[in-house]
Amino acid sequence: MKVRTIKEGDTEVLVPVPEEGANFAPSAAPVFYNPAMEMNRDISIAATSVFLKGIEPDPEKVITYVDALSASGIRGLRLANEIGVHTTLNDWSEDACELIQQNIDRLDIGDKAVASHKNANVLLHEKHFNIVDLDPFGTPAPFLAAAARSVVNLLAVTATDTAPLCGAHLNSGIRKYAAIPFNNEYHSEMGVRILLGKIARELSLHDKTMRPLLSHATRHYVRTYLEIKKGAKRADQMLNDIGFIAHCPSCGHREAINGLAVPIEKNCSNCSEENMIAGPLWLGKLHDPEFCSDIIADLEERNCGTGQKAIKMLEFCRDELDIPMFYDQHLICKKLGLSASEIDRVIQELRDNGFLASRTHFSGTSFKTDAKITDIEKIISNI
Ligand code: SAM
C-alpha cells in the first residue's frame, strides 16, 4: 500500500494514497481516509477533551475510549496524541490494523493507544468503554446495539446515510431506523431526530439514557455526542422525549406529539386537512448550550485546520432554539407569492411580535420559532 504523511491538528499520520483508476476517491484506497471529514474530527477532539474535563478523576480507574471503526486510525490517534486519553483503535481490516500499528509506533504513543483487529460488534459486546465512537461507512445502525451495551459515559456517532435518514430513500430509512421520516423542507433536522430516536431506543434496552450535548447535520453527514447515564426510571422518562411529528402538507402546520403511546390526531388542527405522520423520532433537546460554548473555547486555543469554520457552526448550534422543526423562509414566501427578506429581519419581526425566534445551523434561509404557521405568514406578509 502506498502511503503519504498528512498532518491534522498536532498529529502527523500516515494515510493511504488512493489509487488513480477511481478518481482518487477515498473509498478506492485499501484503507479509508477522507480529508473532507477533518472538521468532524476537529470537533471530536475538542468535544472529547471538554467532556473529559467534566468527569471526576478516579486515580484507580483509567478512562477508556474506543474508535470502533478506525480505518487509518486518524481519529483515535489524534485523541491519544492530543488529549492523552487511553484509546483502542479497532478495525476488522488487516491492512487498516497494520497501518494503525505503524502510526502508533511512529507517534510513540504505545502507552496510550492500542490497535485491535476485531469485528466492532464483537469488541463492543466483550468490553465496556467510557467513550464509544462510531464513524462508519453510511449507517451506524448495525453497530448501535453493541455500542449501547458497551458505552458508559459518552457515545459519539456519525451517520453518512443522509438519504435514508432524511426520507429520500424512504424504505431504506424505515428498514434501518424503524421509523418514518419526511423528505420535506426540514429533512436535515428530520435526519438528526430519526437517528437520535433510534439510539435512544437502543440505549433503553440496557436501562441507559442519553442527553444530547451536541448534534449537527453538516453537508453529507450527521454527528451527535450523547452523555450516557444508567437507570431504568431515567430511561422511562427519556422515552417521553420520543414521539411523532404531525405535519399538514396543505397549510404547513406541524405538531410534536411526545410519547409512544398517545393518540395522534389524523387531521390538522389548523385547516382540518389530513396530517402526515413522521416517527418515532427524538423530540428532546439537540444540544447543551454550555457544552457548545466550552467546545468553542477549546477550539479557540487548539491548533486545528478547520477551527474557524467549526466555531461558526457551533455558535449556530449553541444559539438556536431547541424546538422541533425549523421553517424555511423561501418556501413560505413562495407560497405567499412574496420575495424573501434578510433572515435576521424575519427573526427580529417574530421577536417584536412576542415570539421566540432564532436562526438555525441546519440552513441559512431558515429559522426556528414557537409561532404557529398562521402567525408566521402574517408577520412575513407585513415585512
Ligand atoms: N473513523 C475513520 C476516520 O475518521 O477516518 C473512518 C472509518 S471508515 C468510514 C469505516 C471503517 O470501518 C473501515 O475502515 C472498515 O474497514 C471498518 N469496518 C466496517 N465494518 C466493520 C466491522 N463490522 N468491524 C470492524 N471494522 C469495520
Side-chain angles (χ1 to χ4, degrees):
M1 173 178 22
K2 270 201 243 159
V3 291
R4 66 193 165 106
T5 313
I6 57 105
K7 191 168 183 192
E8 271 191 24
D10 284 330
T11 309
E12 253 192 27
V13 179
L14 291 178
V15 296
V17 178
E19 277 156 29
E20 264 177 64
N23 293 332
F24 300 97
S27 53
V31 177
F32 184 84
Y33 164 68
N34 188 359
M37 291 298 254
E38 184 175 356
M39 186 173 95
N40 181 325
R41 287 185 286 269
D42 283 346
I43 295 175
S44 274
I45 311 301
T48 311
S49 166
V50 168
F51 187 80
L52 287 174
K53 282 181 195 140
I55 295 185
E56 286 282 313
D58 179 347
E60 303 286 301
K61 283 190 189 150
V62 172
I63 304 271
T64 54
Y65 167 96
V66 63
D67 183 359
L69 308 152
S70 283
S72 68
I74 184 147
R75 190 178 295 266
L77 291 164
R78 287 189 59 188
L79 275 155
N81 190 43
E82 294 173 37
I83 60 178
V85 65
H86 282 79
T87 300
T88 299
L89 298 117
N90 181 68
D91 204 289
W92 67 2
S93 142
E94 214 166 300
D95 284 342
C97 271
E98 275 171 23
L99 188 59
I100 291 167
Q101 191 56 56
Q102 235 181 309
N103 274 316
I104 292 175
D105 295 341
R106 274 185 94 240
L107 290 163
D108 195 19
I109 52 169
D111 57 334
K112 287 175 274 188
V114 52
S116 155
H117 183 207
K118 288 195 173 180
N119 184 322
N121 282 329
V122 172
L123 175 67
L124 293 169
H125 274 289
E126 281 174 354
K127 265 184 157 178
H128 289 289
F129 291 92
N130 295 98
I131 304 174
V132 174
D133 198 319
L134 296 179
D135 183 48
F137 290 133
T139 178
F143 307 106
L144 289 177
R149 187 180 183 284
S150 175
V151 66
V152 179
N153 298 102
L154 178 70
L155 177 61
V157 180
T158 309
T160 58
D161 61 330
T162 47
L165 274 171
C166 299
H169 295 164
L170 182 64
N171 287 343
S172 171
I174 295 171
R175 286 196 305 274
K176 290 183 175 79
Y177 298 100
I180 297 174
F182 294 149
N183 184 17
N184 64 3
E185 68 271 29
Y186 50 78
H187 61 86
S188 47
E189 183 168 350
M190 175 64 57
V192 172
R193 292 184 182 278
I194 291 277
L195 174 66
L196 289 178
K198 169 75 174 162
I199 299 174
R201 282 176 283 148
E202 291 289 353
L203 287 164
S204 78
L205 293 180
H206 302 278
D207 292 344
K208 290 182 188 174
T209 61
M210 64 184 214
R211 185 173 74 89
L213 300 171
L214 167 68
S215 315
H216 59 100
T218 303
R219 294 174 51 239
H220 68 287
Y221 69 89
V222 170
R223 175 81 172 163
T224 184
Y225 299 84
L226 307 164
E227 182 186 37
I228 306 300
K229 291 250 159 79
K230 188 110 177 103
K233 269 211 176 112
R234 276 204 184 112
D236 289 342
Q237 278 162 8
M238 173 187 71
L239 293 180
N240 286 326
D241 277 331
I242 296 192
F244 300 86
I245 292 281
H247 178 104
C248 174
S250 172
C251 72
H253 175 76
R254 45 311 256 282
E255 236 157 89
I257 302 138
N258 285 70
L260 287 165
V262 284
I264 299 172
E265 283 300 324
K266 216 174 155 222
N267 294 94
C268 170
S269 59
N270 182 43
C271 74
S272 306
E273 291 293 319
E274 199 169 316
N275 278 322
M276 290 165 64
I277 311 294
L281 45 72
W282 180 254
L283 295 169
K285 290 186 184 305
L286 299 183
H287 323 291
D288 174 342
E290 207 179 311
F291 188 78
C292 295
S293 289
D294 290 345
I295 307 178
I296 292 168
D298 181 288
L299 283 169
E300 273 161 358
E301 299 297 316
R302 196 170 285 284
N303 175 25
C304 60
T306 68
Q308 284 316 310
K309 204 168 126 205
I311 287 170
K312 207 166 165 211
M313 195 272 298
L314 288 161
E315 284 171 345
F316 275 105
C317 292
R318 178 194 61 194
D319 298 339
E320 73 189 0
L321 284 173
D322 232 333
I323 298 175
M325 302 282 194
F326 68 79
Y327 290 88
D328 182 60
Q329 195 213 167
H330 285 194
L331 194 76
I332 296 169
C333 286
K334 196 169 161 206
K335 183 178 155 201
L336 297 173
L338 299 168
S339 39
S341 314
E342 283 283 309
I343 193 73
D344 288 333
R345 171 94 198 272
V346 176
I347 288 163
Q348 196 50 53
E349 291 291 335
L350 283 159
R351 288 179 182 161
D352 290 348
N353 279 276
F355 297 107
L356 296 172
S358 77
R359 292 190 63 165
T360 172
H361 87 278
F362 287 109
S363 150
T365 60
S366 303
F367 57 91
K368 286 186 165 250
T369 183
D370 61 347
K372 298 251 183 284
I373 187 69
T374 39
D375 295 311
I376 296 169
E377 285 180 354
K378 256 187 240 153
I379 289 166
I380 288 183
S381 302
N382 286 332
I383 291 179

